[in-house]
Amino acid sequence: MTRTSTTSVRTFAPSFSQESLFLTKNYSSNTPGDQQPQESENANEQHPEELPWIDMLESAAKADWLRSTPTDHHDRLKRAYSLLFHIILYLGRPLTKDVQEAEAATQQFLLAFNSAPVTPESEIGRARYAIGLLTKTITNDISTIPDGTPIRTQHPQVFAIADALVPLCEVHLDGVVQEVAPTSGEVVDEGKWQDFWTKAQQVVLALGEELDREGYGISEELMKEAKAEQERKDREAAGPGGGETK
């Protein structure tokens, strides 16, 4: 993986504000009406690099509701961005508290994620499996919207980018399904993970950027809602009078 690829991941990844973290843990992996997951008592005290990123990624990839496809075409694009949000946030997550070491740590991780031989039980093996599941779901959600529908005319570039993922999923991810754990850290059906991800990575990034550009990303309204909710949780954690200023 080149340095350019690393920069692309870091550029597209949402900023690691408390609002972004709250959205990841409480919005992106749940459909409306789902019970929100309970956060640990010290969740607000955790630094970003200490959060269970792999668990959050797997939670999204293995959610039961991913087995059904939304009937509303706009909801499919919204869900696609939500799942892409998980992928990019995981790949661009902070790996160290030291700002000077952060870029080198990310570069090292992305190189390993792309091509390192690992066991399926390792974090990289688990992440490959989760990202394979998410990529397959995203591709299916978008590519199965029928030709000639208004949404395809409205967002032609979204569908053009998604179409590039179809043959990659057919060749490499056909056997990658929920509840069937991979027997190898390579995860994919044909070849090695690198054969798939080297080609798919930039398409995944481009799709996320295009969906965001077309209005299916995280809106300012949702960010404000998340910020307000995070502030409420902070006040509760601080106890009576903890949020008051003199």
Side-chain angles (χ1 to χ4, degrees):
M1 188 179 296
T2 64
R3 185 178 180 83
T4 300
S5 298
T6 303
T7 302
S8 297
V9 170
R10 290 170 60 82
T11 299
F12 177 64
S15 61
F16 289 92
S17 62
Q18 288 298 321
E19 301 94 276
S20 293
L21 301 182
F22 182 83
L23 283 168
T24 305
K25 291 184 286 184
N26 296 281
Y27 284 89
S28 299
S29 60
N30 291 275
T31 53
D34 282 347
Q35 182 177 1
Q36 300 295 342
Q38 297 296 317
E39 297 184 49
S40 61
E41 294 181 359
N42 64 343
N44 292 333
E45 300 175 3
Q46 287 181 288
H47 294 284
E49 67 277 358
E50 297 172 343
L51 290 168
W53 292 103
I54 184 61
D55 294 334
M56 291 189 284
L57 180 69
E58 288 181 319
S59 177
K62 297 178 180 180
D64 290 339
W65 50 267
L66 289 188
R67 297 175 185 175
S68 60
T69 304
T71 55
D72 184 273
H73 296 160
H74 290 285
D75 285 345
R76 293 196 197 187
L77 298 191
K78 291 177 183 177
R79 183 168 87 166
Y81 183 85
S82 174
L83 301 181
L84 285 162
F85 185 85
H86 274 279
I87 294 175
I88 305 306
L89 202 58
Y90 175 79
L91 293 177
R93 72 198 187 284
L95 296 171
T96 175
K97 295 179 182 179
D98 191 323
V99 176
Q100 294 181 344
E101 296 177 359
E103 184 172 354
T106 299
Q107 171 81 350
Q108 184 177 12
F109 169 77
L110 292 176
L111 287 170
F113 179 78
N114 185 55
S115 58
V118 297
T119 64
E121 298 82 13
S122 66
E123 176 166 344
I124 287 179
R126 292 163 61 192
R128 287 174 178 174
Y129 176 43
I131 288 176
L133 288 171
L134 291 172
T135 302
K136 187 176 179 180
T137 300
I138 291 163
T139 304
N140 181 73
D141 279 358
I142 298 176
S143 65
T144 54
I145 293 176
D147 292 337
T149 53
I151 198 170
R152 279 186 173 268
T153 303
Q154 295 164 4
H155 309 293
Q157 190 61 20
V158 167
F159 290 91
I161 296 171
D163 284 346
L165 287 172
V166 173
L168 293 175
C169 289
E170 289 177 346
V171 172
H172 298 289
L173 302 182
D174 185 57
V176 177
V177 295
Q178 286 185 344
E179 298 183 355
V180 179
T183 57
S184 165
E186 299 297 342
V187 175
V188 296
D189 298 329
E190 297 290 336
K192 296 181 178 295
W193 174 261
Q194 184 176 7
D195 299 330
F196 164 70
W197 190 241
T198 298
K199 299 173 183 176
Q201 177 191 225
Q202 293 302 324
V203 184
V204 167
L205 294 173
L207 182 57
E209 291 172 343
E210 188 63 24
L211 283 168
D212 187 41
R213 187 179 298 114
E214 292 296 303
Y216 291 96
I218 296 174
S219 66
E220 183 178 349
E221 180 180 352
L222 186 56
M223 288 296 288
K224 288 181 179 178
E225 180 183 343
K227 182 178 181 180
E229 180 65 12
Q230 186 62 50
E231 290 174 348
R232 182 187 67 78
K233 287 180 176 288
D234 289 343
R235 288 194 299 271
E236 290 179 353
E244 296 179 359
T245 58
K246 295 182 179 180

